[in-house]
Amino acid sequence: MITEEQWDDVGIDPESAEDWIEAGFDPTESLAWIQAGFDPTESAAWNAAGFDPDAAEGWCSYGFDLASSKDWNAAGFDLAGDAEAWRTAGFTPAEAGTLTTIGYDHPEDLP
């Protein structure tokens, strides 16, 4: 069982700890999400979609929301920066995913 002291050790007050507990996180996980800039509700959604705090922060830093991050990730893009290059070039996740599977790593590689 997680104690109030463990929450205090990571700098999370009891009221906030309740929100994190309800979202399904322990103190260490909560701290990682907080440091990445997410609240308990957002963290739970990103986590449920398979993203860890660093990945979620990376996707958000390129202007992707959760839905678009999931689309690009499902198309084979693990890194937001790679997806951003294709998105900026005007490709959809499906188009970009197809092109990368046939050997084009970046839009600049296209003939």
Side-chain angles (χ1 to χ4, degrees):
M1 180 166 176
I2 298 170
T3 66
E4 187 175 320
E5 183 178 329
Q6 289 171 296
W7 289 101
D8 190 50
D9 287 347
V10 296
I12 299 174
D13 64 75
E15 185 177 317
S16 295
E18 287 182 32
D19 295 335
W20 287 101
I21 292 166
E22 288 176 18
F25 297 101
D26 67 29
T28 303
E29 294 166 330
S30 300
L31 181 60
W33 283 104
I34 290 168
Q35 290 173 334
F38 295 89
D39 67 29
T41 303
E42 295 167 328
S43 300
W46 281 89
N47 190 59
F51 295 96
D52 65 25
D54 290 334
E57 181 180 25
W59 286 98
C60 288
S61 73
Y62 282 96
F64 291 93
D65 61 12
L66 178 56
S68 61
S69 299
K70 287 168 45 176
D71 291 344
W72 283 95
N73 193 256
F77 292 88
D78 294 327
L79 300 174
D82 293 341
E84 174 61 10
W86 287 97
R87 180 175 73 169
T88 299
F91 292 91
T92 67
E95 292 167 339
T98 298
L99 290 167
T100 60
T101 61
I102 61 173
Y104 297 105
D105 293 330
H106 302 281
E108 302 84 32
D109 297 339
L110 294 170

